[in-house]
Amino acid sequence: MSAPTLHPAHTADAVERARDAAERESWAEAYALLHAHDLHPSRALTADDLSVLADAAWWSGHIDESVTARLRAHAAFLAAGDHRGAGLAAWWLHYEYRSLGRPAAAAGWLHRSRHHLEDQPPCPEQCFLAWTDAEEAEQHGDRAAALAAARRMTRLALRSASPDLVALSRQAESAVLLANGRRTEALALLDDAMCAVTAGELSGVFTGWLYCLALTQCMEAADFGRAVEWTNAAMEWCAPPWTGRPPEAVPGATSETGPESGPESLTTPAARAVASGENPFRGVCRAHRVEVLDLLGTWALAEEEARQACREVPVDCLESAAAAFYAAGDVQRRQGRLDEAAVSYAHAHELGRIPQPGLALLRLAQGRADAAVAGVDLALACQSDPRHDLLGRARLLAARTEVALAVRDVPGASKAARELDALAGDVPLLRATADTALGAVALAEGRSGPALRLLRQALAGWLELRVPYEAAQVRMLLAAADRTVGDEEAARLELAAARTVFERLGAVPDARRAAALLSGGKRRRLPGGLTAREAEVLRLVAGGGTNKDIAQELVISEHTVSRHLNNIFAKLGVGSRAAATGYAYAHDLV
């Protein structure tokens, strides 16, 4: 049966109402009107109306329809001889195809956009080409060209007098300056751009872009204060209009949370969708929020938000879902839910993220020290430009220090900690991370005085940042340093404070370890019927020691070591060193 014929007046009225809805950014309404109108060929949509349909389809979660409408808009602009309109439509097609993982199509449409716009007098549409030029130059390591392109974008934006383009150009220039190490200038420009965002001066798509770009930039630059502030603002903007209130804010002033008790598994990558009419930036902003909640120690909410983010992230932003899976894996690992953490890291890897250093630390917790060393070393080697993601590099180096100390590679740990120190500068989050690593190395080297000084600096830094888990970990190191200088009372105070935080966070393995150390010199009953000497041999096995290493450490023969190992295997009911190592970690013998 053929579609009913609509009266021209009715169709014109529908298009006008759609244009009005788009002007109000009521995208679901605009999409419904234009989509219904487009089913009837009696009155074709103009190029501008097709562009509105493409925008409305994208906001409503119909990505394929958005691309199709944009292709038709480009053809219509071209037929009308409107090269500026065709150039902008071509740039949007480049952007959408790139987001959908189709780089060849994206490159083709970028070439077309240049063809349409490069010979035009200066115009606002050329801002988008300058933005792309800046990103491409940055990716190729040509920072001078990147800065020149970003500043060309700024000049074009100021000439256009568009608040959207001016704010975006400020962010683009800020990103290039930050990569050049000009942090103060970069953050001043970013603050300028974000003033326009938080004041509600920009259109929806530019607001969403700038929240996503700024939050990524803050986390990579380890600017935790701005990340907390703008995460709250982003989630308020993303809140569904029908709720009448913003979502719960990130608790920047407190980090208290209760232990979780095995919430349901995260959504699998195949189970994501964006409902029609929802804000497609919501899942991306929520994924950033998960990272902030994780650091603040609000782990129950972080894991809940990670599940929600993976449901909300649109198909052209799956890297955000990968980040949410990874953050959830970190929470699960630190709570001792190792199997769940492995699944979360696997999902992150499936979506294209290298799940390090979390996976290396998981392997260490499982007693697989060799895999931990190999994993973090490979991740460090694969990081093409460490300056691009300072926090990511810092976390890898901190993990490298921890893993090296676990396998008694003190020189390797020292090398990683020194690089971390050089990277940190005076950035508070990085400084606390570096001081923690340096203090741990000094402690391992037997330098109690420097260890205490560095670890106290680190604790002060973490407490000021309100990052509880890392602060508690430093307290554990401080307790060890206090005991080496004979200050048992100070050690017990640090251990008690650490245990309280671990218990509140649900970090069961760490809480157990703190409790065991608090028992001090009390003789504890060893699991599995092990003797004290067998427990010592097992601890050295778990640390990666060979029979020869253990014999030298304990000043006994290799034959005696073999005999102890046979007894250990028999008592524990295991058949390999790996299984014995897993037992040692599970029972806090390491």
Side-chain angles (χ1 to χ4, degrees), residues 18 21-22 25-35 49-63 65-66 69-70 96 275-278 280:
E25 296 193 340
S26 181
W27 295 112
E29 180 185 352
Y31 170 76
L33 289 165
L34 288 177
H35 178 72
D49 290 334
L50 285 166
S51 296
V52 172
L53 175 58
D55 292 341
W58 184 84
W59 278 97
S60 301
H62 305 286
I63 306 299
E65 290 184 48
S66 174
R70 196 83 64 187
E96 290 188 281
S276 177
E278 290 191 356

PDB file of all heavy atoms in Angstrom, residues 18 21-22 25-35 49-63 65-66 69-70 96 275-278 280:
ATOM      1  N   ALA A  18       9.863  21.388  12.883  1.00  0.00           N
ATOM      2  CA  ALA A  18      11.115  20.670  13.099  1.00  0.00           C
ATOM      3  C   ALA A  18      12.282  21.638  13.250  1.00  0.00           C
ATOM      4  O   ALA A  18      13.167  21.456  14.108  1.00  0.00           O
ATOM      5  CB  ALA A  18      11.371  19.709  11.945  1.00  0.00           C
ATOM      6  N   ALA A  21      12.071  23.111  16.618  1.00  0.00           N
ATOM      7  CA  ALA A  21      12.506  22.141  17.632  1.00  0.00           C
ATOM      8  C   ALA A  21      14.028  22.046  17.659  1.00  0.00           C
ATOM      9  O   ALA A  21      14.651  21.972  18.737  1.00  0.00           O
ATOM     10  CB  ALA A  21      11.892  20.771  17.337  1.00  0.00           C
ATOM     11  N   ALA A  22      14.655  22.043  16.474  1.00  0.00           N
ATOM     12  CA  ALA A  22      16.120  21.982  16.409  1.00  0.00           C
ATOM     13  C   ALA A  22      16.735  23.236  17.024  1.00  0.00           C
ATOM     14  O   ALA A  22      17.758  23.162  17.724  1.00  0.00           O
ATOM     15  CB  ALA A  22      16.568  21.821  14.960  1.00  0.00           C
ATOM     16  N   GLU A  25      16.891  22.797  20.444  1.00  0.00           N
ATOM     17  CA  GLU A  25      17.639  21.560  20.725  1.00  0.00           C
ATOM     18  C   GLU A  25      16.739  20.481  21.317  1.00  0.00           C
ATOM     19  O   GLU A  25      17.152  19.691  22.170  1.00  0.00           O
ATOM     20  CB  GLU A  25      18.840  21.838  21.623  1.00  0.00           C
ATOM     21  CG  GLU A  25      19.857  22.748  20.952  1.00  0.00           C
ATOM     22  CD  GLU A  25      21.203  22.801  21.658  1.00  0.00           C
ATOM     23  OE1 GLU A  25      21.261  22.440  22.859  1.00  0.00           O
ATOM     24  OE2 GLU A  25      22.181  23.176  21.017  1.00  0.00           O
ATOM     25  N   SER A  26      15.495  20.471  20.846  1.00  0.00           N
ATOM     26  CA  SER A  26      14.583  19.381  21.175  1.00  0.00           C
ATOM     27  C   SER A  26      14.733  18.348  20.064  1.00  0.00           C
ATOM     28  O   SER A  26      13.929  18.265  19.127  1.00  0.00           O
ATOM     29  CB  SER A  26      13.143  19.895  21.264  1.00  0.00           C
ATOM     30  OG  SER A  26      12.259  18.855  21.594  1.00  0.00           O
ATOM     31  N   TRP A  27      15.807  17.557  20.168  1.00  0.00           N
ATOM     32  CA  TRP A  27      16.223  16.736  19.035  1.00  0.00           C
ATOM     33  C   TRP A  27      15.279  15.581  18.746  1.00  0.00           C
ATOM     34  O   TRP A  27      15.071  15.224  17.588  1.00  0.00           O
ATOM     35  CB  TRP A  27      17.643  16.229  19.267  1.00  0.00           C
ATOM     36  CG  TRP A  27      18.649  17.330  19.295  1.00  0.00           C
ATOM     37  CD1 TRP A  27      19.374  17.768  20.365  1.00  0.00           C
ATOM     38  CD2 TRP A  27      19.027  18.173  18.195  1.00  0.00           C
ATOM     39  NE1 TRP A  27      20.179  18.819  20.017  1.00  0.00           N
ATOM     40  CE2 TRP A  27      19.983  19.090  18.682  1.00  0.00           C
ATOM     41  CE3 TRP A  27      18.645  18.255  16.860  1.00  0.00           C
ATOM     42  CZ2 TRP A  27      20.577  20.057  17.872  1.00  0.00           C
ATOM     43  CZ3 TRP A  27      19.237  19.216  16.052  1.00  0.00           C
ATOM     44  CH2 TRP A  27      20.182  20.100  16.549  1.00  0.00           C
ATOM     45  N   ALA A  28      14.719  14.978  19.758  1.00  0.00           N
ATOM     46  CA  ALA A  28      13.797  13.869  19.518  1.00  0.00           C
ATOM     47  C   ALA A  28      12.580  14.351  18.737  1.00  0.00           C
ATOM     48  O   ALA A  28      12.098  13.675  17.807  1.00  0.00           O
ATOM     49  CB  ALA A  28      13.370  13.233  20.838  1.00  0.00           C
ATOM     50  N   GLU A  29      12.091  15.546  19.085  1.00  0.00           N
ATOM     51  CA  GLU A  29      10.940  16.119  18.378  1.00  0.00           C
ATOM     52  C   GLU A  29      11.322  16.440  16.930  1.00  0.00           C
ATOM     53  O   GLU A  29      10.569  16.128  15.988  1.00  0.00           O
ATOM     54  CB  GLU A  29      10.479  17.386  19.094  1.00  0.00           C
ATOM     55  CG  GLU A  29       9.293  18.073  18.438  1.00  0.00           C
ATOM     56  CD  GLU A  29       8.940  19.389  19.112  1.00  0.00           C
ATOM     57  OE1 GLU A  29       9.522  19.704  20.181  1.00  0.00           O
ATOM     58  OE2 GLU A  29       8.093  20.123  18.557  1.00  0.00           O
ATOM     59  N   ALA A  30      12.482  17.077  16.736  1.00  0.00           N
ATOM     60  CA  ALA A  30      12.919  17.423  15.385  1.00  0.00           C
ATOM     61  C   ALA A  30      13.102  16.172  14.536  1.00  0.00           C
ATOM     62  O   ALA A  30      12.699  16.129  13.360  1.00  0.00           O
ATOM     63  CB  ALA A  30      14.222  18.211  15.453  1.00  0.00           C
ATOM     64  N   TYR A  31      13.679  15.132  15.141  1.00  0.00           N
ATOM     65  CA  TYR A  31      13.893  13.888  14.392  1.00  0.00           C
ATOM     66  C   TYR A  31      12.557  13.271  13.987  1.00  0.00           C
ATOM     67  O   TYR A  31      12.375  12.858  12.827  1.00  0.00           O
ATOM     68  CB  TYR A  31      14.693  12.894  15.230  1.00  0.00           C
ATOM     69  CG  TYR A  31      14.739  11.520  14.600  1.00  0.00           C
ATOM     70  CD1 TYR A  31      15.569  11.258  13.510  1.00  0.00           C
ATOM     71  CD2 TYR A  31      13.922  10.493  15.075  1.00  0.00           C
ATOM     72  CE1 TYR A  31      15.587  10.005  12.911  1.00  0.00           C
ATOM     73  CE2 TYR A  31      13.936   9.249  14.483  1.00  0.00           C
ATOM     74  CZ  TYR A  31      14.777   9.007  13.403  1.00  0.00           C
ATOM     75  OH  TYR A  31      14.772   7.769  12.811  1.00  0.00           O
ATOM     76  N   ALA A  32      11.609  13.205  14.908  1.00  0.00           N
ATOM     77  CA  ALA A  32      10.317  12.583  14.603  1.00  0.00           C
ATOM     78  C   ALA A  32       9.617  13.318  13.459  1.00  0.00           C
ATOM     79  O   ALA A  32       9.073  12.692  12.531  1.00  0.00           O
ATOM     80  CB  ALA A  32       9.445  12.558  15.846  1.00  0.00           C
ATOM     81  N   LEU A  33       9.638  14.635  13.494  1.00  0.00           N
ATOM     82  CA  LEU A  33       8.962  15.417  12.456  1.00  0.00           C
ATOM     83  C   LEU A  33       9.635  15.267  11.093  1.00  0.00           C
ATOM     84  O   LEU A  33       8.970  15.017  10.079  1.00  0.00           O
ATOM     85  CB  LEU A  33       8.928  16.893  12.864  1.00  0.00           C
ATOM     86  CG  LEU A  33       7.987  17.257  14.019  1.00  0.00           C
ATOM     87  CD1 LEU A  33       8.299  18.648  14.565  1.00  0.00           C
ATOM     88  CD2 LEU A  33       6.528  17.180  13.555  1.00  0.00           C
ATOM     89  N   LEU A  34      10.963  15.401  11.068  1.00  0.00           N
ATOM     90  CA  LEU A  34      11.668  15.327   9.784  1.00  0.00           C
ATOM     91  C   LEU A  34      11.698  13.910   9.235  1.00  0.00           C
ATOM     92  O   LEU A  34      11.608  13.693   8.023  1.00  0.00           O
ATOM     93  CB  LEU A  34      13.087  15.867   9.941  1.00  0.00           C
ATOM     94  CG  LEU A  34      13.196  17.379  10.128  1.00  0.00           C
ATOM     95  CD1 LEU A  34      14.645  17.790  10.358  1.00  0.00           C
ATOM     96  CD2 LEU A  34      12.635  18.115   8.905  1.00  0.00           C
ATOM     97  N   HIS A  35      11.821  12.946  10.127  1.00  0.00           N
ATOM     98  CA  HIS A  35      11.839  11.547   9.677  1.00  0.00           C
ATOM     99  C   HIS A  35      10.490  11.194   9.044  1.00  0.00           C
ATOM    100  O   HIS A  35      10.440  10.559   7.980  1.00  0.00           O
ATOM    101  CB  HIS A  35      12.126  10.624  10.857  1.00  0.00           C
ATOM    102  CG  HIS A  35      12.127   9.173  10.507  1.00  0.00           C
ATOM    103  ND1 HIS A  35      13.127   8.580   9.766  1.00  0.00           N
ATOM    104  CD2 HIS A  35      11.229   8.189  10.772  1.00  0.00           C
ATOM    105  CE1 HIS A  35      12.854   7.296   9.607  1.00  0.00           C
ATOM    106  NE2 HIS A  35      11.714   7.032  10.198  1.00  0.00           N
ATOM    107  N   ASP A  49      17.811  21.491   5.765  1.00  0.00           N
ATOM    108  CA  ASP A  49      16.911  20.611   6.512  1.00  0.00           C
ATOM    109  C   ASP A  49      17.494  19.207   6.647  1.00  0.00           C
ATOM    110  O   ASP A  49      17.317  18.553   7.681  1.00  0.00           O
ATOM    111  CB  ASP A  49      15.539  20.556   5.835  1.00  0.00           C
ATOM    112  CG  ASP A  49      14.778  21.867   5.967  1.00  0.00           C
ATOM    113  OD1 ASP A  49      15.038  22.604   6.943  1.00  0.00           O
ATOM    114  OD2 ASP A  49      13.940  22.169   5.087  1.00  0.00           O
ATOM    115  N   LEU A  50      18.184  18.752   5.616  1.00  0.00           N
ATOM    116  CA  LEU A  50      18.848  17.448   5.705  1.00  0.00           C
ATOM    117  C   LEU A  50      19.964  17.480   6.759  1.00  0.00           C
ATOM    118  O   LEU A  50      20.188  16.487   7.461  1.00  0.00           O
ATOM    119  CB  LEU A  50      19.403  17.043   4.340  1.00  0.00           C
ATOM    120  CG  LEU A  50      18.358  16.573   3.322  1.00  0.00           C
ATOM    121  CD1 LEU A  50      18.959  16.521   1.918  1.00  0.00           C
ATOM    122  CD2 LEU A  50      17.804  15.194   3.709  1.00  0.00           C
ATOM    123  N   SER A  51      20.646  18.620   6.863  1.00  0.00           N
ATOM    124  CA  SER A  51      21.663  18.751   7.913  1.00  0.00           C
ATOM    125  C   SER A  51      21.028  18.686   9.295  1.00  0.00           C
ATOM    126  O   SER A  51      21.575  18.052  10.222  1.00  0.00           O
ATOM    127  CB  SER A  51      22.426  20.064   7.747  1.00  0.00           C
ATOM    128  OG  SER A  51      23.149  20.087   6.535  1.00  0.00           O
ATOM    129  N   VAL A  52      19.861  19.323   9.435  1.00  0.00           N
ATOM    130  CA  VAL A  52      19.148  19.260  10.710  1.00  0.00           C
ATOM    131  C   VAL A  52      18.701  17.823  10.996  1.00  0.00           C
ATOM    132  O   VAL A  52      18.815  17.341  12.137  1.00  0.00           O
ATOM    133  CB  VAL A  52      17.931  20.211  10.693  1.00  0.00           C
ATOM    134  CG1 VAL A  52      17.076  20.002  11.948  1.00  0.00           C
ATOM    135  CG2 VAL A  52      18.387  21.655  10.615  1.00  0.00           C
ATOM    136  N   LEU A  53      18.218  17.136   9.977  1.00  0.00           N
ATOM    137  CA  LEU A  53      17.834  15.730  10.160  1.00  0.00           C
ATOM    138  C   LEU A  53      19.028  14.892  10.595  1.00  0.00           C
ATOM    139  O   LEU A  53      18.905  14.029  11.480  1.00  0.00           O
ATOM    140  CB  LEU A  53      17.239  15.173   8.858  1.00  0.00           C
ATOM    141  CG  LEU A  53      16.894  13.678   8.858  1.00  0.00           C
ATOM    142  CD1 LEU A  53      15.906  13.343   9.980  1.00  0.00           C
ATOM    143  CD2 LEU A  53      16.327  13.255   7.499  1.00  0.00           C
ATOM    144  N   ALA A  54      20.193  15.140   9.992  1.00  0.00           N
ATOM    145  CA  ALA A  54      21.400  14.398  10.376  1.00  0.00           C
ATOM    146  C   ALA A  54      21.746  14.662  11.839  1.00  0.00           C
ATOM    147  O   ALA A  54      22.046  13.724  12.599  1.00  0.00           O
ATOM    148  CB  ALA A  54      22.564  14.790   9.469  1.00  0.00           C
ATOM    149  N   ASP A  55      21.702  15.923  12.247  1.00  0.00           N
ATOM    150  CA  ASP A  55      21.997  16.255  13.650  1.00  0.00           C
ATOM    151  C   ASP A  55      20.985  15.606  14.595  1.00  0.00           C
ATOM    152  O   ASP A  55      21.360  15.018  15.618  1.00  0.00           O
ATOM    153  CB  ASP A  55      21.960  17.774  13.856  1.00  0.00           C
ATOM    154  CG  ASP A  55      23.091  18.491  13.137  1.00  0.00           C
ATOM    155  OD1 ASP A  55      24.087  17.836  12.779  1.00  0.00           O
ATOM    156  OD2 ASP A  55      22.969  19.712  12.921  1.00  0.00           O
ATOM    157  N   ALA A  56      19.700  15.706  14.240  1.00  0.00           N
ATOM    158  CA  ALA A  56      18.649  15.155  15.105  1.00  0.00           C
ATOM    159  C   ALA A  56      18.760  13.641  15.201  1.00  0.00           C
ATOM    160  O   ALA A  56      18.551  13.053  16.270  1.00  0.00           O
ATOM    161  CB  ALA A  56      17.278  15.553  14.567  1.00  0.00           C
ATOM    162  N   ALA A  57      19.098  12.984  14.081  1.00  0.00           N
ATOM    163  CA  ALA A  57      19.268  11.529  14.111  1.00  0.00           C
ATOM    164  C   ALA A  57      20.433  11.143  15.014  1.00  0.00           C
ATOM    165  O   ALA A  57      20.353  10.177  15.781  1.00  0.00           O
ATOM    166  CB  ALA A  57      19.482  11.006  12.688  1.00  0.00           C
ATOM    167  N   TRP A  58      21.530  11.907  14.929  1.00  0.00           N
ATOM    168  CA  TRP A  58      22.696  11.598  15.780  1.00  0.00           C
ATOM    169  C   TRP A  58      22.346  11.753  17.256  1.00  0.00           C
ATOM    170  O   TRP A  58      22.637  10.875  18.064  1.00  0.00           O
ATOM    171  CB  TRP A  58      23.856  12.520  15.410  1.00  0.00           C
ATOM    172  CG  TRP A  58      25.096  12.198  16.179  1.00  0.00           C
ATOM    173  CD1 TRP A  58      26.027  11.246  15.892  1.00  0.00           C
ATOM    174  CD2 TRP A  58      25.518  12.820  17.407  1.00  0.00           C
ATOM    175  NE1 TRP A  58      27.003  11.240  16.857  1.00  0.00           N
ATOM    176  CE2 TRP A  58      26.715  12.189  17.800  1.00  0.00           C
ATOM    177  CE3 TRP A  58      24.993  13.844  18.200  1.00  0.00           C
ATOM    178  CZ2 TRP A  58      27.408  12.559  18.948  1.00  0.00           C
ATOM    179  CZ3 TRP A  58      25.687  14.207  19.355  1.00  0.00           C
ATOM    180  CH2 TRP A  58      26.876  13.566  19.719  1.00  0.00           C
ATOM    181  N   TRP A  59      21.713  12.862  17.619  1.00  0.00           N
ATOM    182  CA  TRP A  59      21.343  13.075  19.016  1.00  0.00           C
ATOM    183  C   TRP A  59      20.355  12.020  19.503  1.00  0.00           C
ATOM    184  O   TRP A  59      20.322  11.691  20.694  1.00  0.00           O
ATOM    185  CB  TRP A  59      20.711  14.457  19.180  1.00  0.00           C
ATOM    186  CG  TRP A  59      21.713  15.560  19.302  1.00  0.00           C
ATOM    187  CD1 TRP A  59      22.164  16.372  18.313  1.00  0.00           C
ATOM    188  CD2 TRP A  59      22.400  15.958  20.492  1.00  0.00           C
ATOM    189  NE1 TRP A  59      23.098  17.258  18.810  1.00  0.00           N
ATOM    190  CE2 TRP A  59      23.241  17.032  20.150  1.00  0.00           C
ATOM    191  CE3 TRP A  59      22.374  15.536  21.813  1.00  0.00           C
ATOM    192  CZ2 TRP A  59      24.071  17.671  21.074  1.00  0.00           C
ATOM    193  CZ3 TRP A  59      23.186  16.174  22.743  1.00  0.00           C
ATOM    194  CH2 TRP A  59      24.019  17.227  22.372  1.00  0.00           C
ATOM    195  N   SER A  60      19.547  11.493  18.588  1.00  0.00           N
ATOM    196  CA  SER A  60      18.536  10.497  18.969  1.00  0.00           C
ATOM    197  C   SER A  60      19.069   9.070  18.919  1.00  0.00           C
ATOM    198  O   SER A  60      18.319   8.123  19.134  1.00  0.00           O
ATOM    199  CB  SER A  60      17.317  10.627  18.042  1.00  0.00           C
ATOM    200  OG  SER A  60      16.777  11.924  18.126  1.00  0.00           O
ATOM    201  N   GLY A  61      20.347   8.898  18.629  1.00  0.00           N
ATOM    202  CA  GLY A  61      20.952   7.569  18.654  1.00  0.00           C
ATOM    203  C   GLY A  61      20.855   6.790  17.363  1.00  0.00           C
ATOM    204  O   GLY A  61      21.187   5.603  17.332  1.00  0.00           O
ATOM    205  N   HIS A  62      20.410   7.447  16.270  1.00  0.00           N
ATOM    206  CA  HIS A  62      20.286   6.758  14.975  1.00  0.00           C
ATOM    207  C   HIS A  62      21.506   7.106  14.122  1.00  0.00           C
ATOM    208  O   HIS A  62      21.426   7.928  13.200  1.00  0.00           O
ATOM    209  CB  HIS A  62      18.978   7.172  14.284  1.00  0.00           C
ATOM    210  CG  HIS A  62      17.758   6.952  15.133  1.00  0.00           C
ATOM    211  ND1 HIS A  62      17.232   5.700  15.377  1.00  0.00           N
ATOM    212  CD2 HIS A  62      16.973   7.834  15.825  1.00  0.00           C
ATOM    213  CE1 HIS A  62      16.162   5.818  16.160  1.00  0.00           C
ATOM    214  NE2 HIS A  62      16.000   7.099  16.447  1.00  0.00           N
ATOM    215  N   ILE A  63      22.626   6.503  14.423  1.00  0.00           N
ATOM    216  CA  ILE A  63      23.899   6.894  13.811  1.00  0.00           C
ATOM    217  C   ILE A  63      23.886   6.659  12.305  1.00  0.00           C
ATOM    218  O   ILE A  63      24.312   7.519  11.526  1.00  0.00           O
ATOM    219  CB  ILE A  63      25.073   6.125  14.460  1.00  0.00           C
ATOM    220  CG1 ILE A  63      25.067   6.303  15.990  1.00  0.00           C
ATOM    221  CG2 ILE A  63      26.399   6.610  13.883  1.00  0.00           C
ATOM    222  CD1 ILE A  63      25.222   7.714  16.454  1.00  0.00           C
ATOM    223  N   GLU A  65      21.371   6.545  10.233  1.00  0.00           N
ATOM    224  CA  GLU A  65      20.501   7.519   9.580  1.00  0.00           C
ATOM    225  C   GLU A  65      21.154   8.897   9.531  1.00  0.00           C
ATOM    226  O   GLU A  65      20.965   9.653   8.563  1.00  0.00           O
ATOM    227  CB  GLU A  65      19.161   7.606  10.305  1.00  0.00           C
ATOM    228  CG  GLU A  65      18.279   6.383  10.141  1.00  0.00           C
ATOM    229  CD  GLU A  65      16.926   6.578  10.803  1.00  0.00           C
ATOM    230  OE1 GLU A  65      16.302   7.629  10.571  1.00  0.00           O
ATOM    231  OE2 GLU A  65      16.510   5.696  11.576  1.00  0.00           O
ATOM    232  N   SER A  66      21.924   9.222  10.544  1.00  0.00           N
ATOM    233  CA  SER A  66      22.634  10.496  10.551  1.00  0.00           C
ATOM    234  C   SER A  66      23.604  10.574   9.385  1.00  0.00           C
ATOM    235  O   SER A  66      23.666  11.579   8.675  1.00  0.00           O
ATOM    236  CB  SER A  66      23.387  10.663  11.877  1.00  0.00           C
ATOM    237  OG  SER A  66      24.194  11.824  11.861  1.00  0.00           O
ATOM    238  N   ALA A  69      21.674  10.914   6.034  1.00  0.00           N
ATOM    239  CA  ALA A  69      21.148  12.266   5.838  1.00  0.00           C
ATOM    240  C   ALA A  69      22.273  13.243   5.514  1.00  0.00           C
ATOM    241  O   ALA A  69      22.109  14.157   4.690  1.00  0.00           O
ATOM    242  CB  ALA A  69      20.397  12.712   7.088  1.00  0.00           C
ATOM    243  N   ARG A  70      23.435  13.041   6.149  1.00  0.00           N
ATOM    244  CA  ARG A  70      24.555  13.939   5.889  1.00  0.00           C
ATOM    245  C   ARG A  70      25.068  13.767   4.454  1.00  0.00           C
ATOM    246  O   ARG A  70      25.449  14.739   3.799  1.00  0.00           O
ATOM    247  CB  ARG A  70      25.679  13.659   6.885  1.00  0.00           C
ATOM    248  CG  ARG A  70      26.731  14.746   6.977  1.00  0.00           C
ATOM    249  CD  ARG A  70      26.339  15.858   7.883  1.00  0.00           C
ATOM    250  NE  ARG A  70      26.192  15.408   9.255  1.00  0.00           N
ATOM    251  CZ  ARG A  70      25.720  16.166  10.225  1.00  0.00           C
ATOM    252  NH1 ARG A  70      25.310  17.398   9.955  1.00  0.00           N
ATOM    253  NH2 ARG A  70      25.604  15.704  11.451  1.00  0.00           N
ATOM    254  N   GLU A  96      32.218  11.602  11.523  1.00  0.00           N
ATOM    255  CA  GLU A  96      31.361  10.466  11.874  1.00  0.00           C
ATOM    256  C   GLU A  96      31.976   9.144  11.424  1.00  0.00           C
ATOM    257  O   GLU A  96      31.940   8.148  12.156  1.00  0.00           O
ATOM    258  CB  GLU A  96      29.967  10.658  11.270  1.00  0.00           C
ATOM    259  CG  GLU A  96      29.189  11.783  11.957  1.00  0.00           C
ATOM    260  CD  GLU A  96      27.740  11.865  11.518  1.00  0.00           C
ATOM    261  OE1 GLU A  96      27.483  12.414  10.438  1.00  0.00           O
ATOM    262  OE2 GLU A  96      26.873  11.369  12.263  1.00  0.00           O
ATOM    263  N   ALA A 275      19.000   5.122  24.089  1.00  0.00           N
ATOM    264  CA  ALA A 275      17.576   5.263  23.805  1.00  0.00           C
ATOM    265  C   ALA A 275      17.322   6.554  23.046  1.00  0.00           C
ATOM    266  O   ALA A 275      18.008   7.548  23.232  1.00  0.00           O
ATOM    267  CB  ALA A 275      16.787   5.261  25.118  1.00  0.00           C
ATOM    268  N   SER A 276      16.315   6.536  22.188  1.00  0.00           N
ATOM    269  CA  SER A 276      15.978   7.704  21.385  1.00  0.00           C
ATOM    270  C   SER A 276      15.678   8.891  22.282  1.00  0.00           C
ATOM    271  O   SER A 276      14.956   8.788  23.263  1.00  0.00           O
ATOM    272  CB  SER A 276      14.766   7.397  20.504  1.00  0.00           C
ATOM    273  OG  SER A 276      14.378   8.530  19.771  1.00  0.00           O
ATOM    274  N   GLY A 277      16.268  10.034  21.904  1.00  0.00           N
ATOM    275  CA  GLY A 277      16.011  11.254  22.655  1.00  0.00           C
ATOM    276  C   GLY A 277      16.951  11.475  23.817  1.00  0.00           C
ATOM    277  O   GLY A 277      16.925  12.523  24.433  1.00  0.00           O
ATOM    278  N   GLU A 278      17.831  10.532  24.163  1.00  0.00           N
ATOM    279  CA  GLU A 278      18.746  10.719  25.267  1.00  0.00           C
ATOM    280  C   GLU A 278      19.981  11.488  24.802  1.00  0.00           C
ATOM    281  O   GLU A 278      20.268  11.591  23.618  1.00  0.00           O
ATOM    282  CB  GLU A 278      19.160   9.362  25.853  1.00  0.00           C
ATOM    283  CG  GLU A 278      18.031   8.681  26.590  1.00  0.00           C
ATOM    284  CD  GLU A 278      18.498   7.481  27.381  1.00  0.00           C
ATOM    285  OE1 GLU A 278      19.688   7.151  27.286  1.00  0.00           O
ATOM    286  OE2 GLU A 278      17.672   6.878  28.079  1.00  0.00           O
ATOM    287  N   PRO A 280      23.593  11.729  23.957  1.00  0.00           N
ATOM    288  CA  PRO A 280      24.623  10.738  23.639  1.00  0.00           C
ATOM    289  C   PRO A 280      25.954  11.012  24.319  1.00  0.00           C
ATOM    290  O   PRO A 280      26.836  10.152  24.296  1.00  0.00           O
ATOM    291  CB  PRO A 280      24.757  10.850  22.108  1.00  0.00           C
ATOM    292  CG  PRO A 280      24.237  12.199  21.771  1.00  0.00           C
ATOM    293  CD  PRO A 280      23.190  12.513  22.786  1.00  0.00           C
TER     294      PRO A 280
END
